[in-house]
């Protein structure tokens, strides 16, 4: 075929910095996203270590309270919008075209744009820490009236959110167009790998949720500077309104953070169990179910604002319903592993840890869905423990499973399995030492986002801080593993693992610059 | 040929999705009036309608029941002193109209304008606390050092849930939103 000649010609990889600035190649952009996410992960992690250092002892030792509040706020914003979301978009860029047999993303130029919006956004957020009045200190939820009173840093944050939101919206449009229009012949929707499915759903969630958030922060901006009174009671507004709008975005957002991780481990577990995924169809529908429910449960974040009883009951029951599709997924993964010929390479370890620990987070979530119980848990360390069990143990461990799973494919070299195992065990043990005691702290009544605490909380806080340092420094091992794999190591075959399923394993490792210029035929 | 038709399809889909994004941005703003309407209908959040026309049909006074009504006020951002009615705690029968008077006093030598935002607690009593005369939400101007009585007439609806024994009416007084003051 003539296309082979063309392929050969195209395979010249552009050199130098312009390769990365002007690239429209999905693999290059995926790499950029992943590195960006990793850097943000380290930055956000460093902030969390500042928080934990201050909390090592009761009293105020290391930072002043205002800076502490900035750290809790910016840590969350960096991790959510800088690390986890771009990280998953990186995976989507790298893997979705290769998984569905497409030559590239549907809108390559737009793809370049959606990445290059991120660095200025991150810069804006970091700069906010150095302007007069400091960075945002009202918590990542930016609740007014506190956020309407903050300094210039809050405005920087609002524009950061605008830029990041634009980036995710453009990225989502691209992903939807790729999945719907670019599939290889024979790749029907119900044959798509589950990672592609979860991303399709995630992209729709993003398109529905992010614009609402952009609207909310725009209202905040006009309240602050242009005399509107959306959230200012002095002008007839209502701060609780912000909470409703925020969580209308915020709850779908947490599923945006978790669904792609569900997709990744649905790829990893079958490979290392050497069995096809159990209950593929139910997995797809469970994801759709979770996505739908995410839009009708937002007020469970605000049980204590004084809703009428009927409202509290509705949101309580709707929230509990989410346990059903999530349970379907958990049991499907267990059934996939059941009587499989399992081996425990690093990706599989991460996937199993993800399932196990996410279940802990899901369970505490269920306890908090119960309105009367939530009145006790609200704004305590129990919440902090809960969402780190879901977002770190769910999203981040899922992502790490994906990194180890596809790293040989991306670089063409096997990663160092010994170092990978060290990274895994230190991360998981450090994570549990950090966050498990926080359940107890929360139940005992320690409020979150406060730099000081009562004496009786000292022991668990010290344990937690020690865990945080173990977990934090363990992430440097990942850097070593990745750099080593890029520079060399055992050559990876195109399949890498034993009979893995999916089109990405039919191309060589590392894949040529352009893959599937001629679409493969899927049976 | 196939390549270009795929490109057209991609662009068209991207166009539709962008339209959807714009729509959702608008929906975020639409939540504001929706929320206010919802709160006013349900009395959620202690929001009470500005003035109710309940006086048209006089309510039957329920002598067998007594509800305590408390009055509170706080002032922020404006040089006024606003005092609560002399009886800060009043025991009323549901259905009987009661008038109390707040008094406002300007502490400055120039004309100032403020407005008062009422709030009812507990929230579920908001719908049953009917104000037939009040100074809420409207612009109030005080001349230099002027003092003025500001009356509130209200009726507690006998349909008030039985478990509510105490209702608090709280005013927050702020500067009026438009800063420009026309000398009157």
């Amino acid at each position: 075929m003539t296309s082979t000649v063309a392929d050969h010609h195209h395979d010249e990889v552009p050199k130098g910095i312009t390769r990365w600035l002007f690239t429209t190649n999905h693999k290059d952009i995926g790499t950029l996203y992943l590195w960006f996410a990793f850097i943000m992960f380290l930055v956000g992690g460093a902030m969390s270590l500042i928080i934990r250092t201050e909390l090592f002892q009761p009293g105020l030792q290391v930072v002043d309270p205002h800076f502490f509040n900035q750290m809790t706020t910016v840590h969350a914003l960096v991790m959510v919008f800088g690390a986890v979301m771009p990280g998953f978009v990186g995976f989507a860029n790298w893997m979705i075209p290769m998984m569905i047999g497409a030559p590239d993303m549907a809108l390559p130029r737009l793809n370049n744009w959606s990445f290059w919006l991120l660095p200025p956004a991150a810069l804006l957020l970091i700069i906010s820490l150095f302007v007069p009045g400091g960075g945002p200190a009202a918590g990542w939820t930016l609740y007014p009236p506190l956020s309407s009173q903050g300094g210039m840093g809050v405005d920087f944050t609002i524009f950061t959110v605008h830029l990041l939101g634009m980036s995710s919206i453009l990225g989502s449009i691209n992903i939807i167009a790729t999945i719907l229009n670019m599939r290889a012949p024979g790749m029907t929707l119900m044959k798509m790998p589950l990672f592609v499915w979860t991303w399709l759903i995630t992209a729709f969630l993003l398109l529905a949720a992010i614009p609402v958030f952009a609207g909310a922060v725009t209202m905040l901006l006009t309240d602050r500077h242009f005399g509107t009174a959306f959230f200012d009671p002095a002008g007839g507004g209502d701060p609780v309104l912000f909470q409703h709008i925020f969580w209308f975005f915020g709850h779908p957002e947490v599923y945006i953070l978790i669904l792609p991780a569900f997709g990744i481990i649905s790829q990893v577990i079958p490979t290392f169990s050497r069995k096809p995924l159990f209950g593929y169809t139910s997995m797809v529908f469970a994801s759709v179910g979770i996505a739908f429910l995410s839009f009708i449960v937002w007020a469970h974040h605000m049980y204590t604002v004084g809703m009428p009883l009927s409202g509290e009951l509705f949101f309580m029951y709707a929230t509990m319903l989410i346990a059903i599709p999530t349970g379907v997924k958990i049991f499907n993964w267990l059934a996939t592993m059941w009587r499989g010929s399992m081996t425990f390479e690093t990706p599989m370890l991460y996937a199993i840890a993800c399932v196990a620990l996410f279940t802990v987070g899901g369970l505490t979530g269920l306890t908090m869905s119960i309105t009367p119980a939530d009145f006790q848990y609200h704004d305590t360390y129990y919440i902090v423990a809960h969402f780190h069990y879901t977002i770190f143990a769910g999203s981040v461990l899922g992502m790490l499973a994906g990194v180890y799973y596809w790293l040989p494919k991306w670089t063409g070299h096997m990663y160092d399995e010994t170092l990978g195992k060290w990274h895994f065990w230190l991360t998981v043990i450090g994570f549990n030492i950090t966050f498990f005691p926080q359940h107890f702290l929360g139940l005992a009544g320690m409020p979150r986002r406060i730099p000081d605490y009562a004496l009786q909380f000292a022991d668990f806080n010290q344990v937690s801080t020690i865990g945080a340092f173990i977990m934090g420094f363990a992430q440097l091992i990942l850097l070593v593993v990745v750099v080593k794999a890029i520079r060399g190591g055992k050559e990876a075959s195109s399949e890498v693992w034993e009979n893995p399923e999916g089109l990405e394993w039919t191309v060589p490792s590392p894949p040529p610059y352009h893959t599937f210029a001629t679409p493969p035929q899927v049976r | 040929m196939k390549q270009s038709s795929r490109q057209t399809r991609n662009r068209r889909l991207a166009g539709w999705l962008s339209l959807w994004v714009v729509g959702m941005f608008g929906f975020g703003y639409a939540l504001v009036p929706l929320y206010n309407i919802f709160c006013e209908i349900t009395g959620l959040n202690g929001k009470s309608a500005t003035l109710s026309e309940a006086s048209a049909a006089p309510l039957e006074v329920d002598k067998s029941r007594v509800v305590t009504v408390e009055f509170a006020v706080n002032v922020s951002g404006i040089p006024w002193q606003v005092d609560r009615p002399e009886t800060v705690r009043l025991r009323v029968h549901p259905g009987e109209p009661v008038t109390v008077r707040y008094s406002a006093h300007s502490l400055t030598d120039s004309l100032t304008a403020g407005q008062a935002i009422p709030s009812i607690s507990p929230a579920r009593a908001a719908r049953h606390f009917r104000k037939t005369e009040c100074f809420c939400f409207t612009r109030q101007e005080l001349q230099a050092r002027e003092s003025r009585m500001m009356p509130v007439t209200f009726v507690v609806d006998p349909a008030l849930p039985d478990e509510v024994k105490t209702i608090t009416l709280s005013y927050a007084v702020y500067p009026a939103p438009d800063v420009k003051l026309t000398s009157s």
Side-chain angles (χ1 to χ4, degrees), chain B:
Chain B
M1 182 59 214
K2 192 171 175 290
Q3 187 68 26
S4 70
S5 80
R6 179 183 267 181
Q7 207 161 44
T8 327
R9 275 196 302 156
N10 285 342
R11 292 213 175 127
R12 193 175 304 143
L13 183 58
W16 281 114
L17 292 173
S18 317
L19 215 62
W20 163 256
V21 167
V22 174
M24 282 312 289
F25 187 76
F27 175 73
Y29 274 84
L31 284 174
V32 179
L34 283 177
Y35 174 82
N36 285 332
I37 294 166
F38 189 75
C39 287
E40 226 159 88
I41 294 171
T42 56
L44 223 132
N45 241 356
K47 283 200 176 188
S48 52
T50 35
L51 269 188
S52 36
E53 283 81 40
S55 41
L59 297 162
E60 205 159 300
V61 181
D62 182 358
K63 288 277 183 199
S64 63
R65 196 173 159 204
V66 178
V67 177
T68 307
V69 180
E70 298 176 331
F71 304 97
V73 64
N74 49 73
V75 181
S76 99
I78 184 167
W80 286 10
Q81 184 186 328
V82 182
D83 293 321
R84 299 189 286 186
E86 270 176 23
T87 23
V88 290
R89 197 168 285 112
L90 211 59
R91 293 163 66 76
V92 302
H93 295 297
E96 83 183 311
V98 182
T99 303
V100 294
R101 273 193 286 273
Y102 281 80
S103 68
H105 175 62
S106 170
L107 302 175
T108 156
D109 288 329
S110 56
L111 175 76
T112 42
Q115 70 167 352
I117 314 290
S119 162
I120 308 284
S121 177
R124 69 196 141 151
R127 256 191 306 170
H128 305 290
F129 189 87
R130 303 185 180 178
K131 298 187 286 301
T132 48
E133 185 193 348
C134 93
F135 52 94
C136 25
F137 295 118
T138 51
R139 184 187 168 88
Q140 307 281 330
E141 287 185 2
L142 287 186
Q143 300 294 340
R145 307 281 165 189
E146 186 192 348
S147 294
R148 189 191 298 160
M149 297 306 256
M150 301 204 283
V152 183
T153 307
F154 63 87
V155 186
V156 176
D157 192 326
L160 181 77
D162 278 338
E163 64 273 22
V164 179
K165 306 274 189 255
T166 307
I167 300 175
T168 307
L169 167 65
S170 167
Y171 278 103
V173 182
Y174 299 102
D178 47 344
V179 196
K180 274 184 299 187
L181 284 180
T182 48
S183 51
S184 50

Side-chain angles (χ1 to χ4, degrees), chain A residues 10 13 43 45 105 119 128 146 154 157 178 186 204 210 228 247 259 262 272 301 308 326 362 410 442 494:
Chain A
H10 274 290
V13 180
V43 171
M105 297 294 279
S128 82
L146 198 51
V154 179
T157 312
T178 308
F204 275 109
I210 294 277
T228 58
W247 287 113
L259 279 177
F262 286 175
F272 296 95
H301 295 269
T326 317
W410 296 337
S494 50

Side-chain angles (χ1 to χ4, degrees), chain A residues 465-478:
Chain A
T465 298
I466 292 166
F469 274 86
I470 297 174
M471 176 168 70
F473 282 96
Q475 302 319 308
L476 297 176
I477 302 176
L478 177 64

Side-chain angles (χ1 to χ4, degrees), chain A residues 378-457:
Chain A
H378 190 86
D379 254 339
T380 66
Y381 264 82
Y382 193 81
I383 304 286
V384 178
H386 159 74
F387 68 69
H388 284 94
Y389 267 86
T390 54
I391 302 302
F392 189 88
S395 309
V396 179
L397 293 191
M399 205 184 300
L400 290 172
V403 169
Y404 283 96
Y405 185 54
W406 284 308
L407 195 60
K409 172 58 65 186
W410 296 337
T411 62
H413 304 289
M414 282 310 282
Y415 59 86
D416 187 328
E417 187 69 52
T418 319
L419 278 182
K421 292 239 162 76
W422 269 100
H423 177 220
F424 169 77
W425 286 111
L426 287 175
T427 303
V428 166
I429 292 171
F431 168 78
N432 281 294
I433 295 176
T434 311
F435 291 108
F436 209 81
Q438 295 186 2
H439 290 117
F440 310 136
L441 288 170
L443 288 177
M446 177 169 165
R448 66 172 173 157
R449 290 175 174 164
I450 294 180
D452 192 4
Y453 52 82
L455 218 53
Q456 71 267 30
F457 302 131

